[in-house]
Amino acid sequence: MKRILNFTIGFLIIFGILFFCKFLINFTKIPFPAPILGIIVLFVLLSLKIIKEEWINDFCKFILKYMILFFMPAFVGVIEYFDIISKNLYPILATIFITTILIMIITALFTENVVKYKRLYNLRKRAQK
Amino acid sequence: MNIFGLIITLTLFLIFKKLKLKIPIIISIGILIILILKLFDINYQTYYQSASILSFFIAPATIALAYPMYKNYHILIKNKRALYPSLFVATFSAIILTYFISKLLKADYNVIMSLLPKSTTLPIALEISKSINGYPELTACIVALTGVIGGAFGHKILKFMKIKSDAAIGIAIGSASHVIGTAACAERKNEKQTAASTIALIIVGLLSAIFIPLFKNFY
C-alpha cells in the first residue's frame, strides 16, 4: 500500500517538475530542453531536502529500469534515414569508433594524472606541516 | 485506435529482458522491429503513431536521472578538484573531436549535427540533436552504437593504457559511452567505477546540453 502511494507521489512530483520546466522555458524563451532543466531542478530540490528521497525513489527506479523501452519508437525511426546513412556510412562509423576510443583515453589519462597529482600535492603539504 | 506497435514493442522488450543477451536490448529489438516493418510492408509513421505513447515517457525518464545523480554525488564532492576538470575535458574533447573528425571524413552537415551529442545519454542526446537540427532518430542509433563500442572495448583499452584508479576508469567509460558503458562497470561488480561512471554520464550530458548549442553557433 505504501509503495503504491509513494509511486503515485513520485509520478506527480516528476510530472509536476516537467510541466513547471516546460512552462518556464515557454515563458522565458530560453532555448534549453525542458527535461534537462528538470534534472537540475529535481537534483537541487533533493539536495535541499525539499523533496525527500523516499518520495521519488520507487518511481525513478521503475522508470529508469524501463527507459530503453521508451526509446524504441525513436530508434526504429532510422529506417527513414537509410539513404542518408548509406551515403554517410563510412564517416559515421569511423567517427563513432575513433572518437569514442579517443575520448575515453583522453579522459582517463587526464583524470588519472590529476588524481595522482592531487595525492602528491596533499602528501607534500602534509610533509611541510 | 491502433496499438499494434505498442504491443509488438512491449512483447519483444519483455522477452529480450528475460533473455539477457550480450547485445544491448535497444539494438536487438530495434533490428527485429525494423525487419518486421519491412517484412509486412508497414510504414514507419503508422508504427510510430501506434507506439508513440512510449515516447511520452522519455521526458519524465530524463528527469528521473536526477535520482542516480543525487545518490552518487558524494563521489564528486570527495574529489571535487580532481573530477570536475575531467568532466569538462571529457565534454570538450567529445565535442571538438567529433566535429573535426566527422568534418574531415566529409559527413553531411546534418549528419555531423546528429553525431555531436553521441557520447551523452539517450534522452539528453535526443533533445540536443533536435535543438541543433540533427536527425534525432539517427542520433538514437549512433548513441546506441557508441555505447556498444565503449561497453565492449572500454575496460580492455584502459587496461592496455595502464589506467589503474577506479575513478579514472569510471569517469572515462561513463563520459564516453554513457549507460551502456556504466552497465559494463556494474557487470564487473565494481561499485566505485559504477558510481563514478553514473555521475560522469549525467554531468557530461548536462554540460553537453549547454555547450553543444553554443559550439554550433560558431560553425
Side-chain angles (χ1 to χ4, degrees), chain B residues 73-203:
Chain B
Y73 199 66
H74 58 96
I75 297 241
L76 263 191
I77 294 179
K78 226 187 280 165
N79 313 296
K80 216 182 301 171
R81 293 216 190 86
L83 299 189
Y84 269 117
S86 332
L87 294 172
F88 274 94
V89 166
T91 311
F92 290 129
S93 62
I95 300 174
I96 293 166
L97 282 173
T98 310
Y99 181 81
F100 286 104
I101 290 180
S102 55
K103 185 109 185 156
L104 203 76
L105 296 171
K106 299 197 174 60
D108 293 348
Y109 178 77
N110 297 75
V111 173
I112 295 179
M113 291 303 144
S114 315
L115 276 163
L116 272 185
K118 71 181 210 352
S119 280
T120 62
T121 181
L122 244 179
I124 298 180
L126 288 190
E127 293 290 347
I128 299 175
S129 181
K130 259 183 248 166
S131 71
I132 58 173
N133 300 326
Y135 307 117
E137 292 85 355
L138 180 56
T139 301
C141 187
I142 290 169
V143 167
L145 267 180
T146 305
V148 173
I149 291 173
F153 303 118
H155 282 94
K156 283 177 201 134
I157 291 169
L158 294 180
K159 198 175 170 196
F160 178 75
M161 299 295 297
K162 299 198 169 57
I163 306 288
K164 290 208 180 65
S165 87
D166 283 331
I169 295 176
I171 296 270
I173 289 186
S175 46
S177 54
H178 55 92
V179 187
I180 302 181
T182 307
C185 294
E187 243 170 54
R188 280 154 202 262
K189 305 228 183 324
N190 190 328
E191 261 174 49
K192 215 177 162 200
Q193 272 181 27
T194 314
S197 182
T198 308
I199 200 82
L201 84 94
I202 299 169
I203 303 231

Side-chain angles (χ1 to χ4, degrees), chain A residues 7-23:
Chain A
F7 198 84
T8 321
I9 294 174
F11 179 89
L12 291 176
I13 289 176
I14 301 265
F15 275 87
I17 291 175
L18 179 62
F19 288 119
F20 168 74
C21 294
K22 283 215 163 133
F23 170 76

Side-chain angles (χ1 to χ4, degrees), chain A residues 83-123:
Chain A
D83 41 342
I84 294 170
I85 294 176
S86 56
K87 206 181 131 209
N88 291 282
L89 188 65
Y90 161 66
I92 291 176
L93 290 182
T95 309
I96 294 177
F97 201 79
I98 298 169
T99 56
T100 306
I101 289 169
L102 277 182
I103 294 163
M104 205 138 54
I105 292 175
I106 292 173
T107 314
L109 285 178
F110 184 84
T111 315
E112 174 118 318
N113 287 315
V114 173
V115 171
K116 247 186 226 158
Y117 173 79
K118 277 286 294 176
R119 225 168 266 156
L120 268 178
Y121 179 79
N122 286 342
L123 277 180

